[in-house]
């Protein structure tokens, strides 16, 4: 009698809720995994793109014209490199270093060089220096921007500290460059020739043209060596 009145197992009632819970849990897992995979893909693409050397940057207004830019720059650089060789690689052919009291003689020398057939480009301190520029900066810029340096050595030159500074600066920039520094001595004896220049010949300014012709020929000889 007791065996006929047995109750159904409790698992028969819990099958349906367990199935719903399992389905819901699977749906949550699938949605979560999809979101995680999408975010992982977007994150990996964002992170990997800057590190990749093969991926170009996104095109914008400026980069849209970039394919034509290299040819333009190459042409400009090639033309500038070809035009900046030899004599035209510097702004001036000659930098005339002189004392303030020898300004007239320096102007005469510059007029002679610029008026020659070669039309030499000369730097004259009071004429070509930048107004408001520092003296040291202007002197150094003039020397570095000129192929040759003419030192107008006079009694005033030897007494001017700026002239001595220019002389030493010119020698320090090109100590072994023959023909770049051209001493033009005027109004001095050979004994007064600066000791710093004893290893190079000077132009004697006691001639009829003040040594201007020799200075021009010396400059032209140097320019021919770099052409």
């Amino acid at each position: 009698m007791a065996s006929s009145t047995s109750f159904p197992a409790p698992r028969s009632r819990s099958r349906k809720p367990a199935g719903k819970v399992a389905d819901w849990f699977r749906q949550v897992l699938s949605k979560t995994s999809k979101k995680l995979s999408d975010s992982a893909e977007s994150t990996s693409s964002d992170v990997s793109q800057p590190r990749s050397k093969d991926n170009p940057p996104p095109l914008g207004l400026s980069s849209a014209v970039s394919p034509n830019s290299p040819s333009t720059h190459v042409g400009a650089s090639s033309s500038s490199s070809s035009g900046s060789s030899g004599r035209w690689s510097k702004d001036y052919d000659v930098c005339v270093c002189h004392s303030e009291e020898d300004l007239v003689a320096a102007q005469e020398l510059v007029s002679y060089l610029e008026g020659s057939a070669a039309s030499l480009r000369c730097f004259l301190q009071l004429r070509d220096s930048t107004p408001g520029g520092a003296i040291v900066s202007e002197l150094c810029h003039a020397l570095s921007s000129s192929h040759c340096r003419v030192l107008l050595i006079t009694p005033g030159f030897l007494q001017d500290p700026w002239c001595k500074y220019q002389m030493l600066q010119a020698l320090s920039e090109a100590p072994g460059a023959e023909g770049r520094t051209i001493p033009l001595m005027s109004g001095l004896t050979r004994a007064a020739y600066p000791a710093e220049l004893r290893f190079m010949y000077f132009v004697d300014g006691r001639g009829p043209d003040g040594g201007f012709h020799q200075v021009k020929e010396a400059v032209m000889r140097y320019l021919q060596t770099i052409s």
Side-chain angles (χ1 to χ4, degrees):
M1 197 68 189
S3 59
S4 61
T5 58
S6 59
F7 295 97
R11 288 180 296 177
S12 60
R13 293 184 179 180
S14 60
R15 282 180 183 176
K16 189 173 182 180
K20 290 183 178 180
V21 172
D23 293 340
W24 174 83
F25 190 69
R26 279 195 295 269
Q27 291 177 2
V28 171
L29 283 178
S30 64
K31 292 180 181 179
T32 305
S33 62
K34 188 176 184 303
K35 290 181 180 180
L36 290 175
S37 63
D38 293 341
S39 62
E41 290 177 359
S42 62
T43 304
S44 62
S45 63
D46 294 340
V47 173
S48 62
Q49 184 173 356
R51 294 180 182 177
S52 176
K53 296 181 180 179
D54 298 330
N55 293 333
L59 290 177
L61 291 177
S62 59
S63 59
V65 199
S66 61
N68 297 331
S69 301
S71 60
T72 304
H73 291 306
V74 169
S77 61
S78 61
S79 62
S80 62
S81 61
S82 61
S84 61
S85 61
R87 177 183 177 183
W88 310 108
S89 61
K90 293 184 179 294
D91 297 332
Y92 301 98
D93 299 317
V94 185
C95 175
V96 179
C97 305
H98 63 92
S99 66
E100 186 175 353
E101 64 183 58
D102 298 321
L103 176 60
V104 176
Q107 289 175 335
E108 293 176 354
L109 174 61
V110 168
S111 298
Y112 178 86
L113 297 176
E114 292 179 341
S116 62
S119 299
L120 296 175
R121 302 165 300 160
C122 299
F123 180 91
L124 192 61
Q125 182 179 348
L126 294 180
R127 182 190 68 180
D128 300 317
S129 294
T130 303
I135 296 178
V136 175
S137 301
E138 291 297 315
L139 293 180
C140 293
H141 178 71
L143 293 173
S144 62
S145 301
S146 304
H147 287 295
C148 297
R149 301 85 182 261
V150 176
L151 307 179
L152 185 54
I153 302 176
T154 63
F157 185 96
L158 298 180
Q159 297 174 3
D160 192 332
W162 286 113
C163 291
K164 187 172 184 179
Y165 174 83
Q166 280 184 301
M167 177 182 66
L168 297 178
Q169 186 69 20
L171 295 176
S172 64
E173 285 190 4
E178 295 184 3
R180 291 196 66 184
T181 302
I182 306 170
L184 173 58
M185 194 164 67
S186 178
L188 292 171
T189 62
R190 186 182 293 269
Y193 191 57
E196 296 86 351
L197 303 175
R198 292 291 172 88
F199 60 92
M200 63 178 62
Y201 288 107
F202 63 87
V203 176
D204 193 348
R206 293 177 295 180
D209 63 346
F212 292 177
H213 178 73
Q214 282 185 274
V215 170
K216 185 197 72 173
E217 292 299 317
V219 174
M220 294 303 300
R221 277 195 301 269
Y222 178 79
L223 294 179
Q224 289 175 0
T225 62
I226 62 174
S227 60

